[in-house]
Amino acid sequence: MATQSLVTTQWVADHLDDPDVVLAEVDEDTTLYDTDHIPGAIAFHWREDFQDPVRRTFVGPRDFAALMERKGVSRDSHVVFYGGNNNWFAAFAFWYFRSYGHERLSLMDGGRKLWELENRTLTSAPPTRTVTSGYDPPALNESIRVRRDEVLERYVGSPDGVALVDVRSPAEYHGEIIAPERLPQESAMVAGHIPGAQNVPWEHVVHLETGQFRSADELRELYADVGATPDREVVTYCRVGERSSLAWFVLHELLEFPTVRNYDGSWTEYGSLIDVPVSRPAGGDEGGTA
């Protein structure tokens, strides 16, 4: 049976005792998880678990496989992600696991916010999953990820057949601020956006009161309005790749666009590169861009 990319809170509630399903709460810190979480859920810390401890990049294939084994995840496990921040980091985890070839993945619509709004069960009890073995180190799937060199060579300016989608806030996109006020440590050297990128803020794809995604028709129209259509290569980016993973999920998994890639270097990388074109409507353009 095919795995659904998006599942409801009720689906999760119905599968709490399913040994085939691994619930995983993912966020930028695990303080809230430590207080309470969905029964049986394991925790992933976005930076400590998924990022190399020295460089800003993925952990290597062997380290990823070892992480899966420590967490009790096998190659055949159906991993269902959820989290706070309207599922930003849960969507990043979905994209990250897909990049490493794990097939059976889902995102819980509405994330932790909706689960709490519905007064569903939470617990502080630690999960009791058994450590596994034999998770073969995976090869990285580059078809859904894009690196800075390719961004510079192929995507700057949104040439024919390409749609660049910047999912940050309008203030970040226009160069009025470099990073959200609560995340000043994750900022680039300059403000602005990649030339040719269109702004579709992440919050436009969800109902903020519940965290649930908008309808497929609404989402399709939202992206079509900025030229992001199924016949184009679409590249999403934000500040560090987590908000853009939410957009990637919408476009790739919900709308089933054939070619969607997430630029996880995003603006913290691009906005700190030397001598690259930058558009900054709020304060003039840099590098000769128009």
Side-chain angles (χ1 to χ4, degrees), residues 76-271:
D76 295 327
S77 295
H78 178 182
V79 186
V80 180
F81 301 107
Y82 75 95
N85 289 300
N86 288 278
N87 268 341
W88 287 3
F89 295 96
F92 178 89
F94 185 107
W95 170 79
Y96 185 97
F97 274 55
R98 183 72 84 226
S99 296
Y100 264 141
H102 196 103
E103 291 297 326
R104 302 188 65 202
L105 303 172
S106 298
L107 191 66
M108 185 178 81
D109 199 12
R112 184 174 175 121
K113 175 185 287 186
L114 185 60
W115 188 270
E116 292 178 343
L117 285 173
E118 294 173 341
N119 295 314
R120 296 185 183 271
T121 302
L122 293 168
T123 182
S124 60
T128 57
R129 296 200 65 81
T130 302
V131 172
T132 59
S133 62
Y135 196 107
D136 293 332
L140 192 61
N141 173 14
E142 295 286 356
S143 70
I144 58 174
R145 186 187 191 197
V146 63
R147 311 291 189 103
R148 63 175 177 269
D149 290 345
E150 194 170 1
V151 169
L152 291 167
E153 291 169 7
R154 298 189 54 215
Y155 298 121
V156 171
S158 270
D160 289 345
V162 168
L164 266 175
V165 178
D166 184 322
V167 313
R168 297 174 299 160
S169 68
E172 291 171 272
Y173 174 80
H174 290 294
E176 297 164 5
I177 60 174
I178 295 181
E181 291 182 4
R182 69 185 183 88
L183 297 167
Q185 75 279 10
E186 294 174 352
S187 62
M189 295 297 293
V190 301
H193 62 264
I194 301 174
Q198 299 296 312
N199 189 212
V200 182
W202 71 269
E203 60 263 35
H204 290 185
V205 307
V206 297
H207 297 282
L208 291 177
E209 63 275 14
T210 66
Q212 292 169 291
F213 287 110
R214 295 187 178 276
S215 72
D217 287 343
E218 290 176 297
L219 294 169
R220 198 172 290 108
E221 181 178 358
L222 176 70
Y223 286 108
D225 285 346
V226 298
T229 50
D231 59 319
R232 293 185 172 188
E233 287 187 64
V234 183
V235 172
T236 63
Y237 76 92
C238 59
R239 182 186 78 261
V240 295
E242 88 293 22
R243 288 176 287 178
S244 55
S245 295
L246 196 69
W248 174 88
F249 181 87
V250 168
L251 291 159
H252 192 271
E253 300 295 320
L254 300 185
L255 300 183
E256 298 183 328
F257 282 24
T259 309
V260 188
R261 303 175 75 186
N262 186 32
Y263 174 32
D264 58 308
S266 280
W267 193 252
T268 54
E269 176 176 72
Y270 190 95

